[in-house]
Amino acid sequence: MLITDDFLPVPVPESLDATYLVPIVGLPKVSPKTAVEGLAGRLAEPVHGLAKQMLDSPLMTVDTRQVSEFPELPPDLLTAFGATEAQLARLAAATHLVVVQAEYRPGWPPAHEWAARAVAAAIAETVGGDVVDVFGLQFLDPAAALRSLPDEQGRVRLVDWVLVPYSSDADGLWFTTKGLRRFGLLELQTQGVPDHLTRAWGAVMTGAARRLLRDWTEGLAGEEVPAFVQLPVLATVTGHDIAVAYGNPEQHGATAPVLLRLELDPATDPDADSFLSLNPPPGHPGPAGRYFAAACATLFDGIQPDVRYARPGDAMSKAIAVARAGLGDIRARFLANQLPVETQLVVKYGLPGDDGPEFVWAGVTSWESPERIVGASASDAATDPTVRIGAPVVVEASDVVDWALLDGTGVIEGGWTQAVLDAGERPTAD
């Protein structure tokens, strides 16, 4: 259902609930209240007080059940969402589960989630066990669970609460969020994303989730829970949204914003989920995948083309030498799948032009041969009409002048030539 007005009415559930498990052997030796009291001074307010209040109210229950009384958790899905062999082994050996459940109205703060996770983490600490987030099908060690809760300023990292899984089909990648329903909001989805944007589009989805969640909670700020919240049909996503979602607000990502059209995709199966789809804005020419690639190029710093080349002996020449010296190591890490999670490897290479080489960036998709890199262009070339955003490219390693690792906040490793340009030295042809 496409809403042509400026706002899209999204239904609000009457209440929300959270469930966390703590697998244990035997029965717990410490009460939930005692465990939560042990977090005094370590857990910021108002979460610590909130957890204690909800424990004393009918909004939260803490029960210990035999494992056989609880539906089996699917080990394949737990593994897909990061479970280790050790965590699965502890779950298999458990005789009981401590089940922490909480319920609350939609809005901010999400008291049901914060309090239930805090209580479960406190109990898990006392038994040296794990926390299982039933909604996300994720294992959390108690320290990680506590770190995900608000700090003294009330800040949280959205990536600790919202995942962005994806799958592949004939039209490209299908991305969804998994976690916005914790807050009552429908999950987001994007279809037809080019394969080379795996990490970059995941970061864009996370930034879009942060922006829409802010609009959502503002719409729930009144005393009464409304039946609908009006969300803007044209959602704006900025580098700042991505940086804040990843917990790096100081890397404010001063980039131009990109627009995404919000469309309600209701489920036809009563047991399936409805989604909010993110699409290119109205009037965008060409396939959606090209717009998604252009949006990533806009939001992620350090992958813009330039048509300058270096004089021997200057800072740019030294930057190129440093980058080229690291090509062997970064290729080995890429092939061994040892790059940081949620990062994208890009390379910068030269295209011949009348005024000297034009340097453009490409996302690396394959690097089987040391001499040849297969990727997808991250920008449009001015000198070669076949090099367009998202188009497949084959790059000779001898033409590479730089490489970089990008995450949701920009360049986290490499990018030496860009650093020279950002410092103000812009060498030109003699």
Side-chain angles (χ1 to χ4, degrees):
M1 178 176 65
L2 174 63
I3 305 298
T4 56
D5 294 331
D6 293 337
F7 293 93
L8 181 70
V10 178
V12 179
E14 293 182 2
S15 65
L16 302 172
D17 60 79
T19 302
Y20 290 85
L21 308 177
V22 181
I24 59 175
V25 177
L27 297 175
K29 296 180 174 59
V30 176
S31 71
K33 288 185 179 181
T34 302
V36 171
E37 288 291 348
L39 297 178
R42 299 170 50 207
L43 190 60
E45 296 296 348
V47 180
H48 188 228
L50 185 66
K52 293 193 295 183
Q53 291 173 18
M54 292 196 74
L55 265 175
D56 289 330
S57 78
L59 295 174
M60 177 179 286
T61 60
V62 181
D63 298 318
T64 300
R65 307 181 193 173
Q66 293 187 356
V67 169
S68 58
E69 297 178 21
F70 202 87
E72 182 182 4
L73 296 172
D76 54 340
L77 289 179
L78 289 168
T79 301
F81 287 111
T84 66
E85 291 185 5
Q87 289 168 331
L88 292 173
R90 288 193 290 272
L91 176 62
T95 60
H96 292 77
L97 296 172
V98 179
V99 184
V100 182
Q101 295 180 301
E103 182 180 359
Y104 202 64
R105 57 160 279 176
W108 199 264
H112 59 298
E113 284 286 351
W114 288 358
R117 184 173 287 198
V119 171
I123 295 171
E125 267 198 343
T126 66
V127 299
D130 305 299
V131 176
V132 180
D133 171 13
V134 173
F135 180 92
L137 282 177
Q138 274 192 302
F139 274 91
L140 302 170
D141 67 73
L146 293 174
R147 284 197 302 271
S148 71
L149 295 167
D151 62 13
E152 292 78 4
Q153 285 76 44
R155 299 172 301 188
V156 295
R157 296 191 333 150
L158 192 61
V159 290
D160 292 328
W161 298 89
V162 177
L163 305 175
V164 187
Y166 65 91
S167 58
S168 181
D169 58 29
D171 297 323
L173 299 177
W174 175 35
F175 283 80
T176 62
T177 59
K178 185 176 178 61
L180 288 177
R181 282 196 296 113
R182 299 179 191 272
F183 311 105
L185 181 58
L186 296 178
E187 303 291 356
L188 306 181
Q189 70 171 358
T190 309
Q191 295 175 295
V193 178
D195 290 349
H196 73 283
L197 297 178
T198 300
R199 295 182 177 90
W201 194 254
V204 174
M205 291 277 287
T206 306
R210 183 258 174 183
R211 173 58 66 97
L212 290 171
L213 184 59
R214 188 180 67 177
D215 294 337
W216 175 255
T217 54
E218 286 177 355
L220 296 171
E223 292 185 7
E224 299 294 328
V225 176
F228 295 88
V229 167
Q230 301 282 349
L231 294 180
V233 169
L234 287 180
T236 302
V237 183
T238 67
H240 177 70
D241 292 316
I242 296 172
V244 172
Y246 279 82
N248 298 307
E250 66 280 359
Q251 300 181 15
H252 51 77
T255 62
V258 299
L259 292 177
L260 294 168
R261 175 169 53 87
L262 204 62
E263 185 175 346
L264 180 61
D265 185 11
T268 55
D269 183 342
D271 294 326
D273 292 329
S274 298
F275 286 96
L276 293 173
S277 295
L278 298 177
N279 299 308
H284 169 70
R290 183 168 182 179
Y291 182 82
F292 299 147
C296 290
T298 298
L299 289 171
F300 300 126
D301 201 14
I303 58 173
Q304 297 302 315
D306 71 86
V307 292
R308 310 168 185 92
Y309 64 93
R311 297 184 295 271
D314 64 14
M316 185 64 78
S317 180
K318 294 176 182 177
I320 293 172
V322 171
R324 290 186 56 79
L327 281 178
D329 176 69
I330 195 63
R331 174 177 178 265
R333 290 163 59 194
F334 175 82
L335 294 177
N337 198 28
Q338 293 178 345
L339 300 181
V341 295
E342 304 297 337
T343 60
Q344 170 73 50
L345 175 61
V346 295
V347 294
K348 188 179 187 179
Y349 65 103
L351 296 171
D354 293 339
D355 298 321
E358 177 185 8
F359 296 105
V360 293
W361 293 88
V364 178
T365 57
S366 176
W367 199 347
E368 297 301 323
S369 168
E371 296 82 17
R372 182 167 294 183
I373 304 167
V374 179
S377 182
S379 55
D380 289 343
T383 56
D384 188 339
T386 67
V387 178
R388 289 293 178 263
I389 292 176
V393 293
V394 177
V395 180
E396 297 297 326
S398 58
D399 293 333
V400 173
V401 297
D402 202 356
W403 58 267
L405 286 180
L406 306 176
D407 70 359
T409 63
V411 176
I412 63 170
E413 184 178 347
W416 293 273
T417 63
Q418 188 65 38
V420 173
L421 294 173
D422 290 343
E425 177 166 338
R426 300 186 176 275
T428 58
D430 288 325

